[in-house]
Amino acid sequence: MLDSNRLRRLEQMPLWDFALSFYKAPGVEDACLTLQDTLGVDVCELLFHGWLFVNGLEARPEALAPQRERRQLWQRETTEVLRHLRRTLKPQARHSASVSALRKTIQQAELQAERENLQRWQRWAIENSDSDQRLTNCALFSNDSEKWLQDKLFFAELDKGCQGKPSARESVVNAWQTLAARLDHFESPR
C-alpha cells in the first residue's frame, strides 16, 4: 500500500523546486548533459525519477509507459526543437548582438518547455488514486540507487550507444555515479 506521508511530501516539494536544487548540486548538470548528449537520456524524466526516489517512491512500470510516451513526444516536438535552434545559433551569437538576444529568448523558451514537462510529470504522479496505482513505495537501500536509476531509464538499452567507445562509456559510468551519490545525499531546500 502506498505510504500517504510520502505522497504528501511530493506535494510539499514540487518537482520544479527539486529539479532546480538538485541540478545545481556539484557535478549534476555535467552528469545530466553527458547522459543526454551521449545516450539520449531525457533529463526531465531522470529528474522525475530522482524526485520520487528522494521521497521514497517509484513509478510502477506499467503505469509509467503511457506517460513516458506522452512526455517523450513533448520533448521531441517542443524542447528538442528549441534546444537544436539554441545550439545552432551559438556560433552566430558570438558575432551578432541581435542573434545573441534571439538565442537568449530561445533559451528561455527551452527552459519553460522543460518546466512545463516537469509540471506534467508532477501532475501525473500526484493525481495517483487507489483505482490507478501509478506509484509505489520504494524499498531501496541507498547503495543501490545508481542501479535503480539506470533501470528506471532503461540503461541497458541506452548503453548500447557506448559499445566500442571506451571514453564515452567511462563518462557515462561517472555520470551515473555522480547522480546516485547526489540523490543519496540530497537534502530538500528549506
Side-chain angles (χ1 to χ4, degrees):
M1 174 174 273
L2 185 63
D3 182 341
S4 62
N5 290 327
R6 294 177 188 193
L7 195 54
R8 274 197 295 280
R9 283 198 308 259
L10 287 182
E11 294 169 348
Q12 294 169 352
M13 180 178 41
L15 177 51
W16 179 250
D17 293 348
F18 165 80
L20 291 176
S21 179
F22 184 67
Y23 201 76
K24 71 180 181 183
V28 170
E29 179 180 359
D30 288 341
C32 288
L33 293 177
T34 293
L35 295 174
Q36 175 183 278
D37 294 342
T38 306
L39 300 179
V41 167
D42 179 346
V43 173
C44 288
E45 183 178 352
L46 185 150
L47 293 169
F48 168 72
H49 289 294
W51 174 65
L52 292 177
F53 174 80
V54 300
N55 286 288
L57 296 166
E58 63 183 323
R60 292 179 179 269
E62 63 280 359
L64 181 67
Q67 178 65 3
R68 174 180 274 144
E69 287 179 25
R70 288 190 289 275
R71 301 289 39 88
Q72 287 174 344
L73 181 64
W74 174 268
Q75 289 295 82
R76 272 192 317 275
E77 293 181 351
T78 307
T79 309
E80 290 175 11
V81 171
L82 294 166
R83 182 178 303 127
H84 175 74
L85 285 171
R86 177 181 54 81
R87 288 178 173 178
T88 299
L89 291 173
K90 188 174 184 176
Q92 296 174 47
R94 290 187 194 115
H95 308 291
S96 169
S98 60
V99 173
S100 179
L102 173 61
R103 187 171 179 272
K104 285 179 185 171
T105 300
I106 293 168
Q107 186 174 29
Q108 287 301 313
E110 180 186 355
L111 184 62
Q112 186 60 36
E114 289 174 337
R115 184 175 188 165
E116 177 63 27
N117 200 21
L118 289 171
Q119 288 171 336
R120 290 178 185 195
W121 273 115
Q122 177 179 315
R123 274 193 305 274
W124 178 82
I126 290 176
E127 291 171 358
N128 191 47
S129 68
D130 290 337
S131 63
D132 178 23
Q133 283 292 307
R134 298 173 180 180
L135 305 178
T136 187
N137 298 326
C138 182
L140 175 71
F141 298 106
S142 63
N143 62 351
D144 294 333
S145 59
E146 180 183 344
K147 181 180 180 337
W148 178 86
L149 187 58
Q150 291 175 10
D151 289 347
K152 292 296 156 194
L153 295 164
F154 299 119
F155 178 65
E157 292 297 315
L158 296 170
D159 189 40
K160 291 176 184 172
C162 284
Q163 291 177 348
K165 302 175 191 170
S167 63
R169 178 79 175 119
E170 185 177 335
S171 296
V172 165
V173 167
N174 289 337
W176 287 121
Q177 290 171 346
T178 297
L179 293 175
R182 295 293 174 214
L183 282 173
D184 287 341
H185 298 97
F186 181 80
E187 292 184 26
S188 67
R190 307 257 183 251

